[in-house]
Amino acid sequence: MMGAIDARHFRNAMGEMPTGVTVITTSDEGGTPFGMTVSSFGSLSLDPPLVLWSVIETSYCMPVFAKSKAFAINVLAHDQEVVSRVFCSPMDRFSHVAWNRGLHDSPLIDGAAAWIECVREKLARGGDHRIFIARVLNARTFDRKPLLHWRGDYGSVTTMAQA
Ligand SMILES: Cc1cc2nc3c(=O)[nH]c(=O)nc-3n(C[C@H](O)[C@H](O)[C@H](O)COP(=O)(O)O)c2cc1C
């Protein structure tokens, strides 16, 4: 239920803001990998190094994410649109990508632009989502252009110098 603003207008306005695209992963106690496409990811603090993202309460991943102590953020590269689509679909997600286990078994996906490994600091409620705040322990970059999401579509980066 939305307050004064119409849900469509809210979505449209948010769609004007381009974001990167991540797949955030973790493992359950038995080592089964879980992951989902997330564009609400962002940096929160430099000292200590904190990041945040939000997950809808009804997500299939939520019960595992809510218990997990460690996560990996896979910042998708420009040629990983299909990975973004797979990780918000009902497919067997991890059979469609090459990956390895990182810190506390959180999956690191091959071909990403960056991997950010973190442990949970806080979990807060925010409307129909939960906000995850995590402390970064490791980060690696691979000098690949990122995948962008804008107005419900995918793109990549062209810098002013390249235009
Ligand atoms: C580009 C993109 C960004 C998304 N960002 C988020 C997000 O920040 N938080 C969220 O809860 N869902 C987000 N989703 C939707 C979830 O990926 C999707 O609802 C979820 O994976 C559904 O599967 P599940 O219920 O099996 O987890 C996003 C989807 C796409 C395509």
Side-chain angles (χ1 to χ4, degrees), residues 20-24 36-41 52-55 65 87:
V21 184
T22 70
V23 168
I24 301 190
M36 66 186 285
T37 304
V38 168
S39 61
S40 57
F41 174 75
L52 58 74
W53 67 92
S54 65
V55 175
F65 270 47
F87 277 82

Side-chain angles (χ1 to χ4, degrees), residues 19 21 77-79 81 146-150 153-157:
T19 66
V21 184
H78 65 101
D79 54 357
E81 177 182 340
L147 182 64
L148 299 187
H149 196 247
W150 176 63
D153 206 352
Y154 291 93
S156 190
V157 172

Side-chain angles (χ1 to χ4, degrees), residues 2-137:
M2 185 121 352
I5 187 167
D6 177 82
R8 189 168 41 91
H9 289 141
F10 177 49
R11 274 175 181 265
N12 287 348
M14 294 309 292
E16 290 301 319
M17 187 170 125
T19 66
V21 184
T22 70
V23 168
I24 301 190
T25 62
T26 191
S27 281
D28 71 7
E29 285 157 357
T32 304
F34 285 79
M36 66 186 285
T37 304
V38 168
S39 61
S40 57
F41 174 75
S43 64
L44 172 62
S45 161
L46 284 173
D47 185 15
L50 300 177
V51 291
L52 58 74
W53 67 92
S54 65
V55 175
I56 193 155
E57 292 275 7
T58 53
S59 167
Y60 165 76
C61 289
M62 179 55 87
V64 173
F65 270 47
K67 272 199 197 165
S68 270
K69 298 278 179 280
F71 300 89
I73 291 95
N74 296 269
V75 179
L76 297 188
H78 65 101
D79 54 357
Q80 292 185 307
E81 177 182 340
V82 66
V83 179
S84 172
R85 293 188 188 280
V86 163
F87 277 82
C88 64
S89 77
M91 293 179 199
D92 175 11
R93 297 174 178 179
F94 287 93
S95 68
H96 289 80
V97 292
W99 59 281
N100 289 288
R101 293 180 188 274
L103 187 74
H104 299 297
D105 281 349
S106 297
L108 299 170
I109 296 172
D110 284 9
W115 292 334
I116 299 163
E117 295 180 288
C118 52
V119 289
R120 194 172 87 193
E121 285 262 321
K122 272 187 192 157
L123 183 54
R125 288 184 192 276
D128 58 3
H129 280 56
R130 278 201 219 174
I131 305 157
F132 290 78
I133 296 178
R135 182 185 286 250
V136 176
L137 300 185

